Amino acid sequence: MDESATGSQVDAFEIEIAVRTYELDMLGHVNNAVYLNWLEQGRLSAMERCGYSVRSLARDWLTNIVRAEVDFRSPTLYGDRLIVTTALARVGRTSFSLASEILRLPEREIVAEALAVLVWLDGDGRPTPLPADFEARWKASLSGVCERKPPTERA
């Protein structure tokens, strides 16, 4: 995972999650597929904070995951409280990468690290340039100064 950060990420969005009973497998720990759901929640929450709502992403700003990697470090169990971090790792012309960590509270122990590569698509499902202000909106959202206005047109 060459693009992911290690340890606690400084410039990352965070959401908190509690492990629920229906996320457990027959061995009593969280099923590995559930981690992808948690990572999606973190990713969508981060995009929302940048002004790209789920509705607008579905209607106007299409993204598609073309790569997802997860390195599992430690099992999670019912009752664990977790933090999902999402950080912008790379910005390209038509794609971007997000590095994530899932941390167990209260120690913030890393239980999983992940990398997702997403491609921005046009209405026909073809790669298209990212919005011109994508990276700036991400950074502004982290500092709390991002306005809740629609993103600018694509570059």
Side-chain angles (χ1 to χ4, degrees):
M1 238 177 273
D2 50 285
E3 297 178 78
S4 68
T6 58
S8 192
Q9 298 169 329
V10 177
D11 292 331
F13 293 101
E14 294 187 354
I15 62 167
E16 188 169 338
I17 291 176
V19 175
R20 298 162 293 207
T21 56
Y22 62 83
E23 295 170 320
L24 305 179
D25 62 17
M26 65 183 165
L27 299 175
H29 54 68
V30 173
N31 183 280
N32 62 323
V34 172
Y35 288 74
L36 294 171
N37 291 331
W38 293 341
L39 294 165
E40 179 182 43
Q41 285 180 265
R43 182 173 60 255
L44 291 175
S45 176
M47 295 294 284
E48 287 257 352
R49 291 204 32 208
C50 293
Y52 302 101
S53 70
V54 172
R55 284 191 177 141
S56 72
L57 284 169
R59 183 186 63 240
D60 305 318
W61 308 96
L62 306 174
T63 60
N64 192 35
I65 294 182
V66 295
R67 180 177 175 196
E69 293 180 37
V70 182
D71 291 333
F72 301 97
R73 305 286 182 217
S74 178
T76 52
L77 307 170
Y78 173 72
D80 281 349
R81 287 181 24 254
L82 308 168
I83 295 288
V84 177
T85 69
T86 305
L88 188 60
R90 183 193 60 81
V91 176
R93 191 178 77 77
T94 63
S95 67
F96 60 102
S97 299
L98 299 176
S100 298
E101 293 175 333
I102 300 175
L103 311 167
R104 185 183 352 265
L105 294 174
E107 302 86 11
R108 295 180 71 93
E109 168 197 0
I110 297 173
V111 298
E113 296 174 282
L115 177 70
V117 179
L118 293 91
V119 174
W120 214 267
L121 304 173
D122 65 16
D124 295 323
R126 292 189 204 101
T128 192
L130 295 172
D133 62 351
F134 177 78
E135 188 170 10
R137 290 182 71 81
W138 189 280
K139 290 177 181 176
S141 295
L142 282 167
S143 64
V145 298
C146 188
E147 298 178 36
R148 292 284 183 211
K149 64 178 185 176
T152 61
E153 293 299 313
R154 295 175 175 93

